[in-house]
Amino acid sequence: GENVEQHPSTLSVQEGDSAVIKCTYSDSASNYFPWYKQELGKGPQLIIDIRSNVGEKKDQRIAVTLNKTAKHFSLHITETQPEDSAVYFCAASRSNFGNEKLTFGTGTRLTIIP
Amino acid sequence: GAVVSQHPSWVICKSGTSVKIECRSLDFQATTMFWYRQFPKQSLMLMATSNEGSKATYEQGVEKDKFLINHASLTLSTLTVTSAHPEDSSFYICSAGTGGPYGYTFGSGTRLTVV
């Protein structure tokens, strides 16, 4: 089955600086890679996703890059703000239609220092 | 957008009793529902996958007789934790597959505490 590794497990950055979280996956059939933000006591919230036919996607301060050959993808947050503090999870699936299971990474606790 | 309503948000029950958690898709038909369990400071671990009208498929190590999943309609799935014990205390989260552009939509989670 799919195995998703995520690094780092914790990350502290100064407000305004950039944060980068990296994930690798093992299943070459995976083609959908979402990123979730989870706040304490809440369910995961999708912040950005990418499909395997795209190498990069950007949405305002958030971007995701995908290297399918190397089987790794990364989340980039620029101009970080205190409200970005949360736990972030990467995930991988064989489908973006929600009919195949998602395998999650181990999570990164991001702390933005004011 | 797609919304999944999960209830209750938290529940405390006595050891040996059963607890039911509901997930409803409010504005779409959930062809597939996934149930996850998350222990403190850990990732989401898939427990089971259910398709409407079919028996759920459980992940290895998850007791199907303990965690009963019902997906009788395209808008409602339930997880019943039977004969709950303190080690079942966890955060349970459902996720609905829309089969369309919304991909996966997560519920807000249920904090179960067994005392």
Side-chain angles (χ1 to χ4, degrees):
Chain A
E2 174 71 282
N3 181 48
V4 179
E5 295 189 358
Q6 183 172 346
H7 299 281
S9 56
T10 61
L11 179 61
S12 295
V13 300
Q14 208 71 37
E15 181 179 354
D17 288 350
S18 296
V20 179
I21 303 171
K22 299 182 179 182
C23 287
T24 60
Y25 62 98
S26 61
D27 185 357
S28 56
S30 289
N31 61 13
Y32 176 63
F33 308 93
W35 285 90
Y36 294 92
K37 176 182 181 181
Q38 187 179 31
E39 297 177 336
L40 191 63
K42 298 184 180 180
Q45 176 189 6
L46 178 70
I47 56 171
I48 197 167
D49 58 11
I50 192 167
R51 291 163 177 76
S52 61
N53 58 344
V54 176
E56 183 174 357
K57 182 177 178 181
K58 189 174 181 180
D59 182 4
Q60 299 184 339
R61 299 187 295 110
I62 297 173
V64 56
T65 59
L66 170 65
N67 183 327
K68 213 166 185 306
T69 302
K71 295 197 187 74
H72 66 70
F73 55 113
S74 300
L75 176 71
H76 304 251
I77 305 174
T78 59
E79 301 173 21
T80 54
Q81 301 168 2
E83 52 265 36
D84 294 330
S85 294
V87 179
Y88 291 80
F89 291 96
C90 62
S93 172
R94 291 185 171 190
S95 168
N96 59 292
F97 290 107
N99 56 348
E100 297 275 352
K101 65 180 181 181
L102 270 174
T103 300
F104 283 83
T106 48
T108 297
R109 182 172 299 277
L110 175 63
T111 302
I112 307 302
I113 305 166
Chain B
V3 176
V4 171
S5 176
Q6 183 172 347
H7 292 280
S9 56
W10 62 270
V11 58
I12 301 173
C13 71
K14 290 185 177 180
S15 187
T17 62
S18 297
V19 172
K20 180 183 285 187
I21 301 169
E22 288 189 354
C23 275
R24 293 181 182 272
S25 55
L26 299 186
D27 48 4
F28 67 99
Q29 294 183 328
T31 52
T32 306
M33 192 72 80
F34 304 91
W35 286 93
Y36 294 86
R37 181 167 52 182
Q38 185 178 32
F39 291 108
K41 297 187 178 181
Q42 293 189 22
S43 187
L44 285 77
M45 298 303 296
L46 181 66
M47 299 175 65
T49 303
S50 70
N51 292 295
E52 182 263 341
S54 302
K55 288 185 178 180
T57 301
Y58 290 81
E59 295 297 301
Q60 193 172 10
V62 178
E63 300 174 60
K64 62 180 181 181
D65 294 329
K66 181 172 184 61
F67 299 100
L68 302 179
I69 291 172
N70 185 288
H71 193 171
S73 78
L74 287 171
T75 59
L76 175 64
S77 179
T78 61
L79 167 67
T80 301
V81 183
T82 63
S83 186
H85 293 286
E87 56 264 31
D88 298 324
S89 297
S90 188
F91 193 54
Y92 292 86
I93 308 169
C94 64
S95 173
T98 65
Y102 297 117
Y104 304 85
T105 301
F106 284 82
S108 53
T110 297
R111 171 75 57 196
L112 170 63
T113 302
V114 184
V115 297

